Amino acid sequence: MADLNIEKILNIYNYFDGIIITDEKGVIRYYTNFRTDLYSLQLDRIVGKTILEIHPELREEDSTIMQVLKTGQPIYDRVEHLTTSHGDRVTNICSTIPIMQSGKIAGAIDFSRSIGDDRNRNAQRRYIDLPKLKSETESLYRLEDIVSSSKKINEIKKQIPMIANTDSAVMIYGETGTGKEMIAQSIHTSGVRCGHRFVSQNCAAIPSNLLESILFGTVKGSFTGAEDKAGLFEIADGGTLFLDEINSMEIGMQAKILKVIEEKRVRRIGGDKSISFDVKVISAINKNPMDCIKEGFLREDLFYRLSTVLIEIPSLRSRLADIPIMTNYFIDQNNRRMNKDVIGVTDEVLDLFCQYSWPGNVRELKNVIEGAFNVISSHEISKENLPRYLTAHYEEEQSMMVNYDDNLSLTEKVEEYEKRLIIRAIDSTKNSSLAAAKLKISKQALNYKLLKYGLKERKR
């Protein structure tokens, strides 16, 4: 969310009485007060309003928050006079710092300290549970971070700015490791919500009751240990909520999610009031959505609600031309991170990469290159720097090649190679129908080749 260092900001004072964090319009998104003896306003009467709404007597030119949002310049140790809800006059010393994102003002953070009455002050530093703010090193992915020569990926890149500027729900479908969250973050950072929060939650392997409290929030006393806590729909208000692997969510929970998204209102667990929110929902699924519906892992009505825009990310093995591009991209990344000067990969490694099926997709390629950087001793990544499972697969593929008998003609070499491929397909499947499907030929064509090569006895 912000290009700022929280630790530096906390050093402004040895102690402080309150913190307010606003968005770029001055709407308060976070509030903490340690002087309840002076300020009795409840959290729900603060969050969602501007400082001018809370203190009508305060003029815009006298508010450090409004001035910082207007100028983008920090204000330190400004005296501010306010009237409390009890009608008492209070004098604060305020320091307000702009929150910047990509050169634009995304909000402000205001620290205040009451003066003239120290009777109730603890002589120690105040520690608070600040919401997690993205620092520069943890910045979200942007459109330019998507590197590809694939026609399909480039079509998605062209669509992202248009998708980003609507409130429509988006579902991203792709195998594990294809970059679904990168696409989701790029949608967020390309649109009007980029100044607000991007909140991500993986729905896999989380019990339904725990996920419900995470998403919807809780009210103190609703169950043992429960505290007043906002859920992710509230936290993401104004921004984007990314629900990953939504097909792993229990069906009963899916029904609750559907209702909340339809109504755009959420009720905390144990609460008695509904809270409105404005969130762009992006979900992701790692299996074919139609298969998930048929197999009972995804509610059909939830699918249609979440897939107003459906984006399908192709696997890495279906876009081989991207492998050299992404290899160089990850090498450049690791050179900067690890202060190395690797110039590329050997021809053998590139050949290996292009032959491998990459079941883990882009994430697997990224991790393989990072792993190589940990053991490399030259300026090129060689086969010796790669994990054994990868090189073993490559060596097995190479053994399929006919290169041990130079007396064979080209036609004979091709036939020998074809024979080995058929043997491998037959031995790795349950029957000839599956073997034919694996080879992408008809069953009749496979039967002909089995007869041609004398492999009829292998048929099952």
Side-chain angles (χ1 to χ4, degrees), residues 48-103:
K49 297 181 179 179
T50 68
I51 193 72
L52 300 180
E53 290 176 306
I54 297 167
H55 298 287
E57 82 286 356
L58 185 66
R59 297 181 304 173
E60 182 174 335
E61 56 267 30
D62 295 330
S63 166
T64 59
I65 291 175
M66 301 309 294
Q67 286 303 301
V68 166
L69 290 174
K70 184 177 181 179
T71 66
Q73 299 299 314
I75 296 174
Y76 298 103
D77 299 326
R78 169 81 64 83
V79 176
E80 213 172 59
H81 302 286
L82 302 172
T83 302
T84 71
S85 58
H86 300 299
D88 297 326
R89 295 285 291 175
V90 175
T91 301
N92 288 341
I93 293 180
C94 301
S95 286
T96 309
I97 297 104
I99 299 174
M100 306 300 293
Q101 181 178 26
S102 303

Side-chain angles (χ1 to χ4, degrees), residues 26 187 212 270 277 301 346 350 373 402 409:
I187 291 172
E212 185 174 1
F277 61 84
D301 49 4
T346 64
L350 185 58
F373 263 72
V402 182
S409 67

Side-chain angles (χ1 to χ4, degrees), residues 373-388:
F373 263 72
N374 281 269
V375 296
I376 194 170
S377 57
S378 66
H379 295 297
E380 276 191 318
I381 296 175
S382 64
K383 193 174 73 170
E384 290 69 30
N385 305 135
L386 303 179
R388 180 57 189 160

Side-chain angles (χ1 to χ4, degrees), residues 169-189:
V170 180
M171 178 176 283
I172 305 170
Y173 158 50
E175 294 179 6
T176 298
T178 48
K180 296 186 289 294
E181 184 151 3
M182 174 184 273
I183 297 293
Q185 290 184 11
S186 298
I187 291 172
H188 175 78
T189 55

Side-chain angles (χ1 to χ4, degrees), residues 250-361:
E250 294 181 15
I251 290 294
M253 185 64 195
Q254 290 184 25
K256 295 178 181 180
I257 286 283
L258 176 62
K259 185 175 187 295
V260 166
I261 293 173
E262 286 281 3
E263 296 179 353
K264 295 186 177 181
R265 298 179 69 84
V266 65
R267 182 178 297 176
R268 294 184 184 181
I269 296 174
D272 57 2
K273 66 174 183 177
S274 294
I275 303 168
S276 298
F277 61 84
D278 172 27
V279 169
K280 184 177 182 73
V281 178
I282 303 178
S283 59
I285 191 167
N286 56 14
K287 296 180 180 178
N288 186 296
M290 293 297 107
D291 291 341
C292 289
I293 292 171
K294 290 177 185 177
E295 295 166 8
F297 293 112
L298 181 65
R299 287 178 61 106
E300 188 172 9
D301 49 4
L302 181 62
F303 167 71
Y304 290 123
R305 181 63 186 82
L306 294 181
S307 62
T308 305
V309 179
L310 183 61
I311 297 174
E312 182 176 352
I313 307 177
S315 63
L316 184 57
R317 62 183 170 274
S318 68
R319 43 190 176 105
L320 293 180
D322 277 351
I323 291 177
I325 296 171
M326 305 203 77
T327 296
N328 290 330
Y329 177 76
F330 292 135
I331 286 174
D332 289 340
Q333 269 193 342
N334 284 287
N335 275 331
R336 290 193 297 271
R337 285 178 54 231
M338 301 187 187
N339 195 27
K340 294 192 175 184
D341 56 353
V342 176
I343 60 174
V345 300
T346 64
D347 290 342
E348 184 180 34
V349 168
L350 185 58
D351 185 45
L352 185 157
F353 282 178
C354 291
Q355 287 192 35
Y356 184 57
S357 60
W358 298 106
N361 290 289

